[in-house]
Amino acid sequence: METKLVKISAHDGAEKYNEAACLLRDGQVVAIPTETVYGLAGNAYSESAVRAIFEAKGRPQDNPLIVHISSFDEIYPLVREVPDNARKLADAFWPGPLTIILPKSDKVPLCVTGGLDTVAVRCPLHPVANRLIKETGLPLAAPSANLSGKPSPTTADHVYKDLNGRIPMIIDGGECEEGVESTVITLATETPKVLRPGNITIGQLRDVLGDVQVDNAVLNPLKDGEKVSSPGMKYKHYSPDTDVVVVRGSYNAFRAYVNANADCDTYAMVFSGEGSGIKAKVIEYGLSDKYRELSHSLFGTLRRLDELNATRCFVRCPDETNDDNLAVLNRLLRAAAFNTVDLRAKKLVGLTGKTGAGKSTVSKLLEEKGAYIIDGDVVARRVLCEDSSILVELEAAFGGVLCEDGTLDRKKLARKAFSTPENTERLNSIIHPAINEYIHSEVEKAFMEYDCVVVDAAAIIESGFADECDCLFVVHAPEDIRKQRIIQRDSLSESDALVRINGQKDDDFYISRATAVINNYPPFDLNDEIKKIFNLIY
Ligand code: TXA
Ligand code: MG
């Protein structure tokens, strides 16, 4: 069969729809754009048209189809009755990406509903879909226009790739706005229940209906023998050929995991702006806090992985505490066949504080509690010893800071670099990036064995590393106590101690950026303080 591609836009007149409308009235199938995903439409009253839909998609016969109408009144012939709640939902969300399930009328063939006595109805917002239904004068049964099991199509090109040669026509109406299929809610249960999340969110539905439940199968694999509310939930779904693995946890933990586990055909599917620092091929799918951006690009991105011949893809999991992300989460978990990695216990902790506050003491206590400690001073020393390109840069910047054997003369460097704030700034801009990179690789190694990695560094805020930590703790003690401690520890005179103390930023610089303060002076009990921060870490 030859598949014809026809472009139709919102502004086109009735004549543009003739050919498609004729095919549909004739019992044939046509792929159409909707605001969610492309659908494969056929006359809902024609058993042969419905059969053709199942055949073209290779869809299991017991998986029911959604019937599409162009305005609310067209619902009456399809259902036994129209409850108040259906009217309320339609007033709030139709035309739009919401499907309502109600007891079906006798007019709806059982092949449409997969043998169920309920029918799913939706009134699409997309001008081309809506107009085509009007022009055809029929309710149109339409599942997503993909081969069964594949990610749903959000462009005409996706449909063409799956169904070319299997259907007579594809209408190209551009890229779908929403990108995930409609929210499916049943009103055939005592309490309304969401069977499939979409971009009409649970919160929006509760605003209209009050109590709304979410079906267990939305986020969980079916148990053996468990009865499904929606047959679509029992099949493998939305899956590219690439093996998808959903990775739960922070960005740091994700990066460390991917860098340790990626090989050359592995991709990382991340939120916008997260690519740098990940040692795998990266594909972005939108800003982490914009669920409609994520949903818009989700299926296209999954399909793209196949085009790129990715064998495996680690995916950043959207925030599971935010119900608005349910649709994307639901599709990702199914695309992964529930293959997930949970790194939520992995925490990267920053630890800092002024001189004499007692960072090292706190580090030791954290180590005793099972954390892995990375000492910023040790890393800095190592970078300055081992990284010859840094020494070249320092010599170029300050001049005369190397010994005869080419090693760094630390005293000379300190004298020059701390002589003016500009010079200090210059020193930092040379060494901080190198130190941060070194710490990153140490963190990666440590995360293979430890859940909690602590980076103890005096300049962790100034170097920017604090921004990457899951939390930042500042060890604090009043100035006179800190002064006494460094006088004793480093055998300093009082005036030398004061020079050191005065060279640091004020308390507020640290405290305003901290997740919490660890008070290391009487009458505080340091062990209690440590317990407090472990509660904050987890
Ligand atoms: O956004 C959408 O809903 C798209 C566009 C084309 O409108 N359509 C779509 O259809 O996603 P489909 O067939 O791919 O998904 C329909 C889902 C399936 O999971 C199916 O099991 C469920 O809705 N469903 C349909 N009728 C049902 C019923 N009577 N009871 C329970 N679940 C039903
Ligand atoms: Mg589908």
Side-chain angles (χ1 to χ4, degrees), residues 98-321:
L98 180 73
T99 295
I100 304 173
I101 295 178
L102 287 167
K104 81 174 194 69
S105 73
D106 293 339
K107 274 195 88 172
V108 179
L110 280 168
C111 59
V112 171
T113 65
L116 299 173
D117 67 352
T118 51
V119 62
V121 188
R122 159 160 133 81
C123 178
L125 174 66
H126 196 289
V128 174
N130 202 288
R131 178 83 187 262
L132 180 65
I133 300 168
K134 278 203 180 78
E135 295 294 334
T136 312
L138 291 166
L140 298 180
S144 49
N146 49 296
L147 281 176
S148 200
K150 291 280 153 217
S152 295
T154 53
T155 64
D157 186 54
H158 295 159
V159 181
Y160 189 81
K161 290 206 169 101
D162 275 18
L163 300 180
N164 178 31
R166 302 170 78 102
I167 58 174
M169 182 184 279
I170 299 170
I171 297 178
D172 182 351
E175 193 176 348
C176 300
E177 176 92 18
E178 305 293 344
V180 286
E181 305 87 339
S182 60
T183 305
V184 176
I185 186 168
T186 179
L187 298 180
T189 45
E190 205 164 279
T191 307
K193 194 186 230 185
V194 169
L195 304 184
R196 180 179 71 185
N199 280 353
I200 304 280
T201 64
I202 308 296
Q204 286 177 290
L205 294 170
R206 286 189 178 139
D207 284 345
V208 174
L209 297 181
D211 198 9
V212 172
Q213 296 176 339
V214 179
D215 197 272
N216 184 49
V218 164
L219 292 182
N220 298 295
L222 285 176
K223 298 187 194 80
D224 270 352
E226 183 177 341
K227 194 174 164 291
V228 285
S229 317
S230 180
M233 294 190 197
K234 66 185 173 195
Y235 297 107
K236 183 174 168 218
H237 231 136
Y238 316 120
S239 304
D241 294 329
T242 307
D243 282 332
V244 174
V245 183
V246 176
V247 182
R248 296 176 148 124
S250 69
Y251 172 65
N252 298 306
F254 178 88
R255 179 172 56 186
Y257 181 83
V258 171
N259 288 359
N261 289 287
D263 54 36
C264 60
D265 296 320
T266 304
Y267 275 74
M269 188 166 144
V270 299
F271 302 128
S272 302
E274 288 188 341
S276 67
I278 291 182
K279 295 188 204 107
K281 292 169 191 152
V282 167
I283 192 162
E284 296 186 341
Y285 76 117
L287 286 168
S288 61
D289 58 350
K290 298 260 185 311
Y291 71 94
R292 292 193 58 198
E293 217 176 88
L294 297 176
S295 70
H296 177 80
S297 57
L298 179 67
F299 288 136
T301 310
L302 290 176
R303 282 178 175 261
R304 181 92 188 105
L305 289 170
D306 281 350
E307 286 166 16
L308 293 165
N309 293 318
T311 50
R312 191 169 47 154
C313 181
F314 296 119
V315 182
R316 280 275 277 138
C317 186
D319 176 6
E320 296 180 67
T321 62

Side-chain angles (χ1 to χ4, degrees), residues 67-72 74-75 78 94 121-124 133 139:
V67 179
H68 296 69
I69 57 181
S70 69
S71 68
F72 183 79
E74 293 163 26
I75 197 175
L78 302 171
W94 275 6
V121 188
R122 159 160 133 81
C123 178
I133 300 168

Side-chain angles (χ1 to χ4, degrees), residues 194 284 289 333 381 383 387 397-398 439 455 504 511 529 538:
V194 169
E284 296 186 341
D289 58 350
L333 288 172
R381 241 171 279 139
V383 167
D387 191 337
F398 299 107
I439 295 178
V455 176
Q504 294 194 302
I511 292 171
E529 294 286 293
Y538 296 105

